[in-house]
Amino acid sequence: MNQPQRTTEHSLKHDTSPIECADHTAAYLDVYPTKQTWLAFFDKTLLVIGSVALALALVFFIAYNWLDMGKMGKFALVEGALVITITLYVGLCARRKFLLIRQLLLLIASIITGSLLALFGQTYQTGADTWQLFFVWALLITPWVMIARFPALWLLWLGLLNACLLSYLDVTGFLFNDNVYQGVIEIGALAAINFVALNLWLFFIDHKSPSQTTSVNADIDTPSPTAAHTQNQTRAGLHWSTYVVGLLSTYAITHLAIFTIFDNGNFTIPIILLSLWIIWCGFMVWRFYRYRVDVLMLTYVSGSAIIVVMFWASRLLLENANSSGFLVLALLLVGMSSVAVVWLRKAARLSHKRTMTSDMVNESVEVNATDRSATSKSKINKRAIDKNGETSLSNSNDQEDTPWFVHVLFGFSGLLASLFFIGFLTLILESTGALDNAMMIGMIGLLLNACGFLLFKYEHRRHSMFLSSLAFMISVAGQSYVVYSLIESSISHPLDVWVFLLLQSALTLIVPSFMYRLIGSLTVFGCVVFLLSYYALPEISLGLLALIAIVSHLQRYRLLQHIPVRWHLASSEVIKAIGYASALMLLCISVYFIVDEYRYGFDNNDGLFRYHYYWAQGLLTLASLYAAYLILKRYRIQWHSAVGLITGSAVIVLGIVSTYVTGLLATSLIIIIAMANSKRTLLGIGVFALVCYVFWYYYQLNTSLLVKSVSVLVVGIVLLLLRWILVKRYSAHDLSASGARIQHNASQVDSEEPLS
């Protein structure tokens, strides 16, 4: 959450400004992106996705099992595409322009190189599915990786190196015949190479200035001092690719620490592995807490520590599967997650204080370099922050100060603790025979829910993280028992879902915990999707979830205007949870029905489940048009204006061409909503889902690779055509004029770049 968003949330929390002015305040403090930011965003997004789509279309086309195309034709096609790509890169290098386009061309060339090697191995049966393919691929693209200095290309190279190492160690036995030693060598090599990669990333990427780490076009004028300050704000954290490498390193070292947990041999290897893991944890704490605070990296360390301790504790306590062991594990997990969350919140406050101190120094320097309006905006911002003392940053219990990944750590820990707690209760109840009575199980579940609710209310006053974790664990366990009782009861099938839906909806509204509300909202939406499918209306699911996500994110402040003031804070948390839950469920089910049509429906009957693509895509397109209307309304742009007509036409065209490209329109909608509200968390979810859909789409069985190739080709051409229209329409007039205003004005674009 950036500082303007924090100021807006703080004013809403403490009623320092009327809710009717929330939209204007958000726009005034640059929470909502400017028109120039939108232009730069669409320029970069359309260029990146369109270029990658063209490369994937070629890969899908070559992967198709052609019977009429000879091997020379296939090689000529791939090599011709590679030559064209490199020729375009050389031509742009000669002009010294369009750095991002040049980097994308090298990325495309690297992907085509892999396709060429796979085609060679498939044609001549050289064993292309072993380590040689990945090794040669990484070796050939190494010069391009060094030249491009593009983080995405570096990640591709690192992924190939990991795949090569795993494939090589699988077929190489070394001197050991023991699978345990062989596995230790494999995981240890992965841990070592990813740890080295993390340090290289920190040295070569995150020690540079923002202008060096972002893909700025070479033909852009030097930014003003105010723009440089804005870029420095956006670079308060590490580069996104560093977090990916950090996650790889965390996974490898954590896997290494627990790899020999069930080995009953000597204890020498486990002690050595645990020592290596402790050294890694010490380095991460020093680097990202003492040297430079980074909460996400510290969350990786906390998650790794919880996993390792829980695995080894389970090894010791669950040998006899006794009930006390499950209870001790549940309480141990609750305690560790509570300590981790408190520590991470402390680190987050420390990072925020340092950022605010730096911002105050920069603001004092900028006052003489900006005009009077920018100075007044800075004063308004500081007054809003300082109105109640030290702001919400000083309040350790404000949920707005807790980063999203800390919420995720808390949620996963609570869910896992609830499983241990359920194991404890189940063993106790099994000895009493209570599990044979569905009504008794339901009463126990309701009692656990009541206890969890009371603990949540008490924790809300005491601000105890341990009580919050304990309440979350007990509540989830109660929900599980209620579900089991409904399944085992004599209630008819759709009625039990309705009962659970109503119960979960009530608990979501009244339980004062954001993570519980998020999981409860996901459960409610899952029940809604189930019921729509049960009543043969699955096509409504996508449009309905999209509409809920749109209203909860884009109309949040307008919804709060119809709620009494004393309930604004709780209602805001509920709407926020519903917004994220609807977006997550939309991304999940946008590919589910495509698969389910070729299996069975939710009701598991013997008839095939039919899904009407055009109806579902039409409703989703209508919802996307409504989102575009709301966003244009923010900027007072009429729907019948030129911009409105272009936007509406683009949404319709994207809806048509993505009918069989599963998930494209849904992810695009989530990304646009995230951009409209400056929600980086939601933006990351949308981008991650889009990348996952690309891999999933390749293995989708409902269409052939030829159809997929044509579909992706059309999508790529349409996106690049839309970008060409955007550049043709705005780059010569609006962007040149707005560029002068941006350099003169203090309100800058948040980490976005002008059109190339």
Side-chain angles (χ1 to χ4, degrees):
M1 183 182 295
N2 53 34
Q3 190 58 50
Q5 283 179 318
R6 193 175 301 279
T7 304
T8 307
E9 295 292 334
H10 181 76
S11 62
L12 175 65
K13 179 180 179 67
H14 296 282
D15 297 326
T16 58
S17 63
I19 191 63
E20 293 80 5
C21 302
D23 275 317
H24 299 289
T25 304
Y28 191 65
L29 295 177
D30 287 342
V31 175
Y32 298 153
T34 62
K35 296 179 182 179
Q36 290 75 30
T37 306
W38 278 112
L39 293 175
F41 168 75
F42 281 120
D43 168 67
K44 182 185 296 185
T45 303
L46 294 175
L47 177 62
V48 172
I49 298 179
S51 301
V52 174
L54 293 182
L56 293 177
L58 178 63
V59 173
F60 291 175
F61 187 80
I62 296 301
Y64 180 67
N65 188 18
W66 286 97
L67 299 178
D68 300 329
M69 180 181 293
K71 59 183 180 181
M72 297 307 296
K74 294 181 180 180
F75 279 112
L77 181 62
V78 179
E79 292 172 359
L82 184 60
V83 170
I84 293 174
T85 304
I86 297 300
T87 303
L88 289 175
Y89 173 78
V90 173
L92 292 178
C93 286
R95 298 179 59 187
R96 295 182 178 275
K97 289 186 176 181
F98 311 126
L99 176 60
L100 179 59
I101 297 179
R102 300 199 316 255
Q103 292 173 331
L104 287 174
L105 287 173
L106 289 182
L107 177 61
I108 293 173
S110 301
I111 296 175
I112 295 176
T113 301
S115 178
L116 178 61
L117 292 175
L119 177 62
F120 182 85
Q122 182 183 14
T123 303
Y124 296 103
Q125 299 298 319
T126 60
D129 55 344
T130 60
W131 66 272
Q132 290 92 343
L133 169 66
F134 303 109
F135 175 76
V136 176
W137 188 357
L139 183 65
L140 291 178
I141 68 173
T142 299
W144 296 339
V145 172
M146 301 296 294
I147 293 172
R149 291 177 294 177
F150 192 36
L153 193 52
W154 276 106
L155 286 178
L156 174 62
W157 186 83
L158 181 61
L160 293 175
L161 198 60
N162 278 271
C164 169
L165 185 62
L166 278 179
S167 302
Y168 176 74
L169 294 176
D170 280 338
V171 298
T172 304
F174 290 106
L175 300 177
F176 306 106
N177 295 322
D178 194 338
N179 292 330
V180 175
Y181 291 102
Q182 182 70 19
V184 168
I185 292 177
E186 291 182 12
I187 306 301
L190 283 181
I193 194 172
N194 286 288
F195 180 72
V196 172
L198 174 61
N199 285 274
L200 292 176
W201 242 264
L202 292 171
F203 184 79
F204 288 104
I205 292 183
D206 282 296
H207 277 192
K208 296 181 179 181
S209 63
S211 59
Q212 291 175 302
T213 56
T214 53
S215 302
V216 184
N217 299 319
D219 55 338
I220 301 300
D221 296 334
T222 303
S224 64
T226 310
H229 163 61
T230 301
Q231 288 180 341
N232 286 329
Q233 282 184 324
T234 62
R235 294 288 298 138
L238 301 175
H239 193 269
W240 64 269
S241 60
T242 309
Y243 293 121
V244 177
V245 182
L247 184 61
L248 291 175
S249 177
T250 304
Y251 166 76
I253 194 66
T254 305
H255 192 181
L256 185 66
I258 63 176
F259 187 77
T260 58
I261 186 173
F262 297 109
D263 183 20
N264 295 322
N266 56 42
F267 291 95
T268 304
I269 293 181
I271 292 175
I272 294 175
L273 298 182
L274 284 176
S275 300
L276 293 175
W277 173 76
I278 292 174
I279 294 174
W280 175 86
C281 290
F283 169 81
M284 295 290 284
V285 172
W286 170 81
R287 181 60 178 79
F288 300 110
Y289 188 75
R290 298 294 182 183
Y291 181 77
R292 175 185 178 183
V293 177
D294 191 275
V295 187
L296 181 53
M297 288 295 190
L298 295 177
T299 306
Y300 291 164
V301 179
S302 301
S304 177
I306 291 174
I307 291 173
V308 172
V309 172
M310 289 303 300
F311 264 91
W312 282 99
S314 301
R315 172 74 168 81
L316 299 175
L317 296 175
L318 295 184
E319 289 184 346
N320 299 322
N322 54 349
S323 58
S324 59
F326 283 101
L327 180 60
V328 172
L329 287 175
L331 295 178
L332 177 63
L333 183 54
V334 167
M336 287 194 301
S337 62
S338 303
V339 172
V341 171
V342 171
W343 180 57
L344 292 172
R345 282 181 173 179
K346 178 182 176 182
R349 292 196 304 274
L350 180 61
S351 177
H352 292 155
K353 288 179 181 178
R354 291 180 180 178
T355 304
M356 287 185 62
T357 303
S358 175
D359 292 346
M360 291 176 64
V361 174
N362 288 326
E363 284 179 1
S364 63
V365 175
E366 290 172 9
V367 168
N368 295 326
T370 56
D371 57 7
R372 184 173 301 175
S373 62
T375 305
S376 62
K377 179 184 292 189
S378 176
K379 291 180 179 179
I380 291 174
N381 192 352
K382 293 174 70 175
R383 281 201 302 269
I385 296 175
D386 298 331
K387 186 176 183 64
N388 287 287
E390 296 182 359
T391 76
S392 58
L393 294 178
S394 62
N395 188 351
S396 62
N397 299 292
D398 286 348
Q399 290 190 359
E400 65 208 49
D401 293 333
T402 305
W404 64 270
F405 36 84
V406 180
H407 280 297
V408 172
L409 177 65
F410 173 80
F412 276 113
S413 300
L415 291 176
L416 184 58
S418 67
L419 293 179
F420 288 119
F421 188 63
I422 290 172
F424 163 73
L425 289 179
T426 302
L427 291 177
I428 296 296
L429 295 175
E430 186 179 11
S431 61
T432 62
L435 294 179
D436 298 331
N437 191 334
M439 182 174 294
M440 181 64 69
I441 297 175
M443 294 297 295
I444 294 173
L446 293 177
L447 180 61
L448 290 174
N449 278 287
C451 293
F453 174 72
L454 293 177
L455 278 176
F456 271 125
K457 297 293 289 185
Y458 183 70
E459 179 275 332
H460 203 59
R461 296 193 299 268
R462 294 292 302 273
H463 302 297
S464 172
M465 181 51 60
F466 180 79
L467 290 178
S468 178
S469 301
L470 192 64
F472 187 82
M473 177 191 72
I474 294 175
S475 299
V476 174
Q479 292 292 318
S480 302
Y481 278 110
V482 169
V483 171
Y484 182 76
S485 67
L486 290 174
I487 294 175
E488 295 296 323
S489 65
S490 58
I491 303 177
S492 60
H493 186 46
L495 183 59
D496 57 357
V497 179
W498 278 108
V499 172
F500 182 70
L501 172 63
L502 296 176
L503 175 63
Q504 189 64 57
S505 301
L507 291 174
T508 301
L509 293 176
I510 64 176
V511 173
S513 171
F514 174 76
M515 200 63 204
Y516 184 89
R517 284 168 171 163
L518 178 62
I519 296 177
S521 300
L522 282 170
T523 306
V524 169
F525 290 133
C527 293
V528 171
V529 172
F530 175 87
L531 291 172
L532 288 174
S533 178
Y534 184 86
Y535 294 117
L537 297 172
E539 297 82 8
I540 301 178
S541 300
L542 288 179
L544 179 61
L545 289 172
L547 183 62
I548 295 174
I550 291 167
V551 173
S552 56
H553 282 285
L554 301 181
Q555 296 286 85
R556 176 186 172 193
Y557 298 128
R558 192 170 296 275
L559 290 175
L560 291 176
Q561 294 178 14
H562 303 285
I563 299 175
V565 177
R566 65 180 182 274
W567 293 339
H568 273 180
L569 180 59
S571 301
S572 177
E573 292 295 328
V574 172
I575 294 174
K576 185 189 300 184
I578 290 175
Y580 278 102
S582 58
L584 289 172
M585 186 59 65
L586 174 64
L587 294 176
C588 291
I589 71 165
S590 58
V591 296
Y592 174 82
F593 289 116
I594 308 298
V595 179
D596 201 55
E597 180 178 354
Y598 292 86
R599 295 184 300 180
Y600 298 99
F602 278 102
D603 51 357
N604 294 324
N605 54 19
D606 295 332
L608 282 178
F609 172 74
R610 303 305 302 172
Y611 186 72
H612 301 283
Y613 298 95
Y614 299 108
W615 281 105
Q617 192 75 359
L619 293 176
L620 185 58
T621 304
L622 289 177
S624 302
L625 287 173
Y626 179 62
Y629 166 75
L630 292 178
I631 295 174
L632 292 176
K633 187 179 178 181
R634 281 184 181 176
Y635 301 93
R636 295 180 175 85
I637 298 177
Q638 299 296 327
W639 189 249
H640 58 271
S641 63
V643 176
L645 292 177
I646 292 175
T647 303
S649 301
V651 172
I652 294 174
V653 171
L654 182 62
I656 294 174
V657 300
S658 64
T659 300
Y660 288 98
V661 182
T662 309
L664 178 60
L665 184 58
T667 51
S668 301
L669 176 62
I670 298 302
I671 291 173
I672 294 299
I673 292 175
M675 184 64 188
N677 282 10
S678 298
K679 296 291 186 181
R680 295 182 182 179
T681 303
L682 194 62
L683 180 63
I685 293 173
V687 173
F688 178 75
L690 184 60
V691 175
C692 292
Y693 287 166
V694 170
F695 289 99
W696 182 87
Y697 186 64
Y698 180 82
Y699 295 101
Q700 183 180 326
L701 299 178
N702 63 329
T703 53
S704 65
L705 283 172
L706 181 61
V707 175
K708 296 174 185 177
S709 175
V710 174
S711 302
V712 176
L713 178 65
V714 172
V715 170
I717 293 174
V718 168
L719 293 180
L720 292 178
L721 182 61
L722 290 175
R723 180 187 179 269
W724 179 81
I725 295 174
L726 181 70
V727 174
K728 196 75 173 178
R729 174 69 174 82
Y730 292 103
S731 62
H733 302 88
D734 294 354
L735 290 182
S736 60
S738 64
R741 290 195 300 268
I742 290 176
Q743 293 183 2
H744 183 68
N745 202 317
S747 58
Q748 296 293 326
V749 204
D750 184 14
S751 71
E752 296 294 335
E753 302 162 4
L755 289 175
S756 53

